[in-house]
Amino acid sequence: MIDPEALRAQLGRLIGADRLLLQPSDVAPYLVDHRALYRGRTWAVALPRSVEEVARIVAWCNEQRVGLVPQGGNTGYCGGATPDESGRQLLLSLRHLNRIRALDAANFSMTAEAGCVLASVQQAADGIERFFPLSLGSEGSCQIGGNLATNAGGLNVVRYGMTRELVLGIEAVLPDGRVFDGLKSLRKDNTGYDLKSLLIGSEGTLGVITAATLKLWPQLRSSATALIGIAAPADAIALLGLLRAAAGERLSSFELLPRIALELTMRHVDGVTDPLGTPYPWYLLCELTATAPEPLSELLQQTLAGAAERSLLLDAAFAGSERERAALWRLRESVPEAQRRSGASLKHDISIPVAQLPRFIDEASAWVGRHVADGVLVCYGHAGDGNLHFNVNHLDSADAAARRAFLAREPVIRRAIHDLVASYHGSISAEHGIGRLKREELQRYASPVGLDAMRAIKRALDPNGIMNPGKLL
Ligand code: FAD
Ligand code: MLT
Ligand code: ZN
């Protein structure tokens, strides 16, 4: 049995009572995940303001054997930042650890604390005429610490890579309360195991990330963006090859959308319109960018004209201004919100080798068509990275009983889709992580040798199992 009052009093003495939230109404928003799949309980939310305070909290939790759940912007999709229902775990919010510690234009780097909201990191880079390329629909609320902890992907991976590739150094409090100061801003550092890489993507199970030194790039000076209507995903893959050959690393985004995704955004999100007028079965949102003034619009138009001659596309709308570019991106970035508003949805964040996307989509869509009569497939995502959000939305979520019946079939639907992904040597979590949602899936699909190694690492760093218990492993 735990005694919440005694724990609150002890921790309050250690870091100051003003660093704790205790009132149920203050604590409540921290206890439910973004998708409202999980509702947890806690005896307090700790809001440290310095690394030293984080270290004291973690060391104390380790001594007391109190489970600790780190939380960033709470936009994660896998329930990783929500405590369990026992009420024994402490929720640690990083939101007040939010200083930009250093900006170094000459070194193309910056050091940001974990609680900095991603959009503010992007703005800080912009302020020194540099560019931080991580971009996600949730960037107004997710935090850089959460992005690192989940190794977030997003909209620019085709050019810049996942979060792991954007990080030079990391500072973290390890489960025994010691601070690992790995805040190097070096491009080359082969001094043994790469602890930074281990902590990135560890979803709060190996320590609390408190700050990171991030890579910056030159600011973008030109861009060309188009929404392209296509007949089928096979054309997307052919177009990807053509654009890569023509534009090289200037290709920074390559997103695939089905018609239903546009219809949902137009129905549920104010101000979204279809720039093409005529409906097409599928769309691509492509963007070329460059750090010097370059005629990218011509390059994109010429490449697409060549593709049209080969019947690889049906139509295209080019952004003629920054406003039109923003409208195209709004259309794409609103899809998750539109899907959420349209009712219950079963999400599958999968990846497979890019060239096999069309065959996978055919096979998996046919399965959904045969087995989920009350669902509609909304399959979109970062096709340039082989990453699909293969989501199935309920058709009639106003009927509560029908909705429950739909959700009850999730395990069967998930199993079929993930088994198919496995047969393509794909991943059952391309960018959203494992958290609590996919823990059993990881056991089923990960290599047993890899899982053993992961468990050994977890035991070695966190022998008392205090860091985010019940998540990932
Ligand atoms: P949280 O949700 O707070 O936490 C996520 C996990 O990280 C938890 O396990 C938590 O314990 C751990 N954690 C958080 N902070 C720390 C820390 N400082 N130290 C240690 N562990 C920590 N994701 C993508 O990858 N690509 C997308 O394109 C994308 N688009 C999205 C669009 C929308 C509209 C939404 C709502 C979400 C989207 N996401 C996407 C998912 C989500 O935004 C990312 O996973 C994001 O990186 C989570 O950051 P967060 O700060 O909200 O983390
Ligand atoms: C996206 O790419 O929009 C997200 O990762 C998927 C989602 O929010 O469901
Ligand atoms: Zn995504």
Side-chain angles (χ1 to χ4, degrees):
M1 278 297 287
I2 61 156
D3 176 354
E5 283 313 321
L7 294 176
R8 288 169 183 159
Q10 277 185 40
L11 191 58
R13 274 196 298 277
L14 199 67
I15 56 168
D18 61 334
R19 301 291 196 262
L20 295 180
L21 294 181
L22 304 175
Q23 292 305 322
S25 58
D26 294 335
V27 168
Y30 296 85
L31 299 183
V32 57
D33 66 301
H34 182 82
R35 294 177 63 195
L37 294 178
Y38 300 103
R39 277 172 205 282
R41 291 171 57 225
T42 188
W43 50 271
V45 173
L47 294 157
R49 288 178 180 266
S50 67
V51 180
E52 206 259 315
E53 286 180 4
V54 176
R56 263 193 270 165
I57 294 168
V58 177
W60 177 82
C61 285
N62 195 35
E63 272 160 33
Q64 304 294 323
R65 308 290 191 262
V66 169
L68 182 68
V69 182
Q71 188 175 101
N74 201 16
T75 66
Y77 279 140
C78 301
T82 309
D84 69 11
E85 294 79 13
S86 70
R88 293 162 185 268
Q89 300 177 341
L90 173 68
L91 195 129
L92 177 80
S93 167
L94 279 302
R95 66 187 308 162
H96 290 321
L97 205 71
N98 61 358
R99 276 184 319 127
I100 300 288
R101 288 198 201 155
L103 287 161
D104 189 342
N107 194 50
F108 284 79
S109 65
M110 70 187 279
T111 299
E113 290 185 339
C116 290
V117 170
L118 175 57
S120 70
V121 171
Q122 296 164 344
Q123 281 155 16
D126 201 50
I128 55 162
E129 299 190 2
R130 296 289 179 260
F131 177 59
F132 183 61
L134 184 63
S135 173
L136 335 175
S138 55
E139 63 200 22
S141 33
C142 63
Q143 299 173 6
I144 193 69
N147 301 145
L148 266 74
T150 55
N151 187 28
L155 303 163
N156 291 329
V157 173
V158 74
R159 175 165 183 177
Y160 298 96
M162 304 275 283
T163 299
R164 184 174 276 118
E165 289 160 76
L166 314 179
V167 181
L168 293 171
I170 216 167
E171 178 190 82
V173 177
L174 298 184
D176 62 3
R178 285 183 303 163
V179 179
F180 163 61
D181 179 1
L183 279 182
K184 292 188 174 164
S185 54
L186 306 173
R187 254 80 184 170
K188 290 185 147 185
D189 179 18
N190 273 348
T191 49
Y193 300 150
D194 186 0
L195 296 179
K196 134 175 86 60
S197 276
L198 190 59
L199 287 157
I200 295 170
S202 66
E203 301 185 44
T205 62
L206 297 180
V208 181
I209 296 168
T210 47
T213 300
L214 306 168
K215 278 188 207 168
L216 303 181
W217 274 258
Q219 263 180 330
L220 300 176
R221 304 270 177 222
S222 34
S223 69
T225 313
L227 184 74
I228 305 163
I230 58 171
D235 297 334
I237 303 311
L239 268 166
L240 177 65
L242 289 182
L243 280 165
R244 282 207 131 134
E249 62 155 26
R250 289 173 190 77
L251 179 66
S252 44
S253 301
F254 192 86
E255 300 284 313
L256 179 71
L257 300 162
R259 175 68 198 169
I260 179 85
L262 263 71
E263 283 170 10
L264 288 178
T265 47
M266 288 189 285
R267 194 175 315 148
H268 293 288
V269 181
D270 285 346
V272 174
T273 53
D274 175 358
L276 287 172
T278 311
Y280 296 104
W282 292 88
Y283 300 84
L284 289 168
L285 179 56
C286 294
E287 187 160 272
L288 307 185
T289 54
T291 55
E294 283 187 34
L296 292 183
S297 298
E298 283 83 339
L299 178 61
L300 185 57
Q301 283 175 21
Q302 276 165 16
T303 312
L304 294 186
E309 280 167 20
R310 294 165 58 179
S311 304
L312 292 176
L313 62 92
L314 303 169
D315 201 354
F318 296 87
S321 64
E322 196 48 44
R323 198 174 51 81
E324 287 177 8
R325 178 188 180 211
L328 291 183
W329 275 114
R330 187 164 138 76
L331 192 160
R332 161 62 183 93
E333 291 186 41
S334 303
V335 177
E337 181 57 20
Q339 240 199 313
R340 200 178 62 81
R341 289 188 196 169
S342 89
S345 115
L346 307 179
K347 284 179 181 280
H348 308 94
D349 166 36
I350 58 110
S351 66
I352 54 169
V354 175
Q356 296 183 36
L357 279 183
R359 195 158 62 84
F360 173 85
I361 293 175
D362 280 352
E363 239 184 294
S365 309
W367 188 92
V368 172
R370 279 197 309 276
H371 294 92
V372 197
D374 53 346
V376 58
L377 183 63
V378 188
C379 160
Y380 65 98
H382 319 287
D385 319 322
N387 177 190
L388 291 176
H389 299 303
F390 197 86
N391 301 343
V392 186
N393 257 56
H394 187 216
L395 279 171
D396 186 14
S397 275
D399 178 338
R403 181 189 156 98
R404 274 197 300 277
F406 172 76
L407 290 174
R409 284 173 36 234
E410 164 151 42
V412 176
I413 297 170
R414 187 176 55 212
R415 173 60 52 88
I417 292 172
H418 285 173
D419 278 358
L420 188 62
V421 167
S423 75
Y424 280 75
H425 302 290
S427 168
I428 53 119
S429 180
E431 59 171 8
H432 295 159
I434 299 294
R436 186 162 158 192
L437 185 70
K438 294 191 183 166
R439 218 160 64 116
E440 282 78 27
E441 299 298 284
L442 185 71
Q443 300 296 320
R444 178 175 168 85
Y445 296 103
S447 126
V449 179
L451 272 176
D452 276 353
M454 286 196 225
R455 288 192 202 100
I457 290 167
K458 171 75 176 169
R459 273 194 307 274
L461 287 180
D462 183 15
N464 298 320
I466 60 148
M467 286 306 312
N468 218 357
K471 311 292 167 48
L472 209 160
L473 285 175

